[in-house]
Every structure is written in C-alpha cells, then in structure tokens.
Amino acid sequence: MRRTETGDGTGRRVSEARERLLRTAGRLFYAEGINTVGVDRLVAEAKVTNATFYRHFRSKEDLAVAYLAGVDQAIRAQIGSLTNADVPADGILRGIGASLVEQIRSTGYRGCAFLNAAAEFPAPDHPVHRAVVQHREWFLQTITGLFAEIAATQAEHAGRHFVMLRDGAMSAGYLGDPVLAGETLLRGVEGLLRIHTARGLDEHSPSASGKETSATAAVSDIECSPPTA
C-alpha cells in the first residue's frame, strides 16, 4: 500500500494511514473498549496492512496511548479556546460544565474515555493507566487554577470537588438519565461557584467576630436537585 503523507502545520509530516488508524481506534476503542478490539480488526477497518500498523505503533497498547493523547489534546484545545477568548474564570468553569452536558447528551455517549481506559488497565505502571493519570492531573491543576483566580482560599478543595462532580455526571449520564445527570452537574457547578465566590469576597473583607462568614452562609441555600414544576 502506498504511503501518503501530508503536513500538519507544524513542519512535520503526517501519515494518512496513521491518521486512519487513530480515527478507527478512537471510534472502536470508545464504543467497545480497548481490550475488546483486536489488531486484525483495526487493520481491516482502517484499510491498512499489518506492516503499516507496526510501522506506526509498536503494539495495540501504543495505539491506545495515542488515542488517549488525542482526546487529551481535544480537551486542552477546548479549554484553551475559552482562555484565549478572555473569558473570566467563572465563565470558563461554566463553559466546561456546559460542554460536559453536551457530551453526556450526545448520540453514542459511553462515559468518560479516561475512566473507561483506567478500568481496563488498572495496573499503575501500565502506559495506558499512566496516560489517564497524567491527563487527570493536568485537568485537576487547570480547574484548581481557575478557582484560584476567583479566590485563593480552598481553591484546591474546590478543584477536587469540581472534578468529582464531573466524574459522577459522566458516569451517571451513561448509566442513567443523561438529562438529569446534566442538570445536576450544572446545578452543582453553580453551587460550587457561589460558595467559592463568597470565599473570595471574604478574603477582601474582615469577618465580624462571632458572625458567620458569607462563604459559610452560602452553603445553606444550595439546591442540588433539578427544579420542580
């Protein structure tokens, strides 16, 4: 099979066969699982030879790591587009939440690609598992940084809370009702932002002795269930 290469805008040459393998892997790995799909099927559906496959990837696990890297890059680019648009931190966090809801409600949704991969490769030293951990570390750091722009106090706690909301919604959206999962996620994000914004106000105003701070007071009126008619 003739190998055709094109530029990717960075001065490097990209093999069309490699891109087809990645697109095929992305579709099959996400829909059916990494361990379920064999090399023979990948080669057949990507319309390449075995020799071409192993020219680009040492193994199926190597392809799986590249697949996850592509998902990671897409998420980074999406968040980067919000940052580059000079959107304030709370707007970026809301935008991330809205994007997650759109994904949860999309046709063919099957949960989080990274959580799915981690379940298939539980060994901490496996390259696929490491790719999952690296992505999640970056995501947590990014979210924590956004909360820190709003208020430095307990930004790490808020970041972890947001990631847990995200993980729960992505699982619930696949296993249960995606509409309810999305609504609950957005309400949770709003509640978290309300509390954290109040912390920021408290950072710049002295608390009265013996009185409840606004951040603490905000906790009492949060509603995490979907609104009733």
Side-chain angles (χ1 to χ4, degrees):
M1 179 176 289
R2 182 170 175 267
R3 182 183 179 194
T4 305
E5 295 183 334
T6 59
D8 68 351
T10 64
R12 297 175 298 182
R13 306 296 288 178
V14 178
S15 165
E16 289 183 4
R18 184 180 189 277
E19 293 304 300
R20 285 203 305 276
L21 280 165
L22 279 170
R23 287 195 299 271
T24 302
R27 173 171 55 83
L28 295 177
F29 287 168
Y30 182 72
E32 301 179 23
I34 297 170
N35 287 326
T36 302
V37 181
V39 171
D40 288 344
R41 185 176 174 197
L42 288 164
V43 166
E45 297 208 18
K47 295 181 172 56
V48 300
T49 64
N50 279 50
T52 298
F53 178 94
Y54 289 107
R55 182 185 304 128
H56 296 293
F57 302 101
R58 292 169 296 178
S59 65
K60 189 180 74 172
E61 285 71 25
D62 191 33
L63 174 58
V65 170
Y67 148 66
L68 290 175
V71 180
D72 170 78
Q73 290 167 10
I75 294 172
R76 290 176 187 249
Q78 188 176 44
I79 295 177
S81 67
L82 292 171
T83 304
N84 294 336
D86 200 26
V87 177
D90 62 334
I92 296 175
L93 290 164
R94 288 187 176 94
I96 293 171
S99 176
L100 290 169
V101 170
E102 183 179 355
Q103 182 180 352
I104 289 168
R105 296 177 181 177
S106 65
T107 302
Y109 176 71
R110 193 179 170 275
C112 170
F114 293 96
L115 293 178
N116 292 346
E120 291 194 80
F121 297 90
D125 60 343
H126 193 283
V128 172
H129 192 95
R130 289 202 302 267
V132 172
V133 171
Q134 289 169 5
H135 167 77
R136 289 178 62 79
E137 287 177 346
W138 165 80
F139 187 73
L140 175 58
Q141 291 172 2
T142 299
I143 296 299
T144 300
L146 291 168
F147 276 109
E149 291 183 29
I150 299 171
T153 303
Q154 297 189 45
E156 291 184 5
H157 174 78
R160 291 194 300 272
H161 196 154
F162 187 101
V163 173
M164 289 185 70
L165 283 171
R166 176 257 183 211
D167 289 349
M170 295 197 81
S171 297
Y174 172 56
L175 297 172
D177 186 329
V179 174
L180 290 178
E183 289 178 354
T184 302
L185 171 63
L186 292 180
R187 292 176 70 83
V189 170
E190 284 300 324
L192 186 56
L193 283 170
R194 193 189 317 169
I195 293 172
H196 200 66
T197 299
R199 290 192 185 114
L201 295 175
D202 289 344
E203 285 179 354
H204 298 94
S205 61
S207 299
S209 176
K211 290 187 177 181
E212 190 178 41
T213 65
S214 59
T216 303
V219 176
S220 62
D221 64 347
I222 292 177
E223 298 178 5
C224 293
S225 59
T228 57

